[in-house]
């Protein structure tokens, strides 16, 4: 069985999402389908088709979460320290060409959110950074060609 590394916060968010889907979203969409059926002809009933589509999404997400959650390996980031990049690290990098500085937290694939500065451990950037230390220059594959970045800080807070 494949294990998925994740922080405790990420696991809690997935468990909350599963609880909401089961307890709130699923019953609500079932009610919406029943209500749409009451309107008659289903072949031209947009409400019915929209509700069925939403039900399909909800059931798919529930199935996905029910597969992932039991396979999660929680990693306690608070116990980690040092200047080497590992799972859970908050890494500050500087693009050596543009001098642009960015900070990312390296976490599990099911909890990563680029908008909030967290990237998946399986992303090309994270894979390039893992095992490196502050001061290292790292070549990162990118769509427009490889980029060189320097690691300026690593923390586990």
């Amino acid at each position: 069985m494949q294990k998925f590394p994740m922080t405790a916060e990420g696991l809690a968010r997935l468990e909350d999402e599963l609880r909401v889907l089961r307890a709130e979203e699923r019953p609500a969409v079932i009610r919406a389908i029943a209500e749409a059926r009451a309107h008659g002809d289903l072949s031209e009933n947009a409400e019915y088709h929209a509700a069925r589509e939403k039900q399909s999404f909800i059931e798919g997400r529930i199935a996905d979460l029910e597969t992932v959650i039991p396979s999660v390996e929680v990693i306690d980031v608070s116990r980690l320290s040092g200047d080497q990049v590992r799972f859970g690290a908050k890494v500050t990098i500087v693009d050596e060409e543009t001098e642009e500085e960015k900070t990312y937290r390296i976490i599990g694939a099911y909890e990563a959110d680029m908008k909030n500065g967290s990237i998946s451990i399986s992303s090309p950037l994270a894979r390039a950074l893992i095992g490196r230390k502050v001061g290292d220059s790292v070549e990162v594959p990118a769509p427009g060609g490889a980029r060189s970045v320097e690691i300026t800080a690593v923390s586990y807070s």
Side-chain angles (χ1 to χ4, degrees), residues 56-108:
S56 176
F57 172 79
I58 290 169
E59 294 302 327
R61 185 65 180 154
I62 287 172
D64 190 32
L65 292 173
E66 287 175 340
T67 300
V68 170
I69 290 173
S71 301
V72 167
E73 179 181 349
V74 175
I75 297 176
D76 186 1
V77 178
S78 67
R79 296 178 136 179
L80 301 175
S81 63
D83 65 347
Q84 188 172 8
V85 179
R86 296 186 299 249
F87 181 90
K90 188 177 280 184
V91 183
T92 302
I93 58 173
V94 174
D95 186 303
E96 292 180 345
E97 187 176 308
T98 66
E99 298 294 321
E100 184 179 358
E101 182 179 271
K102 293 183 180 180
T103 300
Y104 299 105
R105 184 166 180 219
I106 300 174
I107 56 177

Side-chain angles (χ1 to χ4, degrees), residues 11-84:
L11 177 59
R13 278 194 302 276
L14 289 184
E15 289 172 336
D16 286 345
E17 181 183 354
L18 181 58
R19 183 188 47 73
V20 167
L21 287 170
R22 284 178 176 162
E24 297 172 21
E25 298 288 329
R26 182 187 270 166
V29 79
I30 289 170
R31 284 191 301 275
I33 289 170
E35 188 176 309
R37 278 188 180 177
H39 291 115
D41 184 16
L42 299 181
S43 65
E44 295 181 16
N45 189 330
E47 290 173 4
Y48 174 78
H49 293 290
R52 290 292 299 199
E53 191 172 306
K54 185 172 181 180
Q55 181 187 36
S56 176
F57 172 79
I58 290 169
E59 294 302 327
R61 185 65 180 154
I62 287 172
D64 190 32
L65 292 173
E66 287 175 340
T67 300
V68 170
I69 290 173
S71 301
V72 167
E73 179 181 349
V74 175
I75 297 176
D76 186 1
V77 178
S78 67
R79 296 178 136 179
L80 301 175
S81 63
D83 65 347
Q84 188 172 8

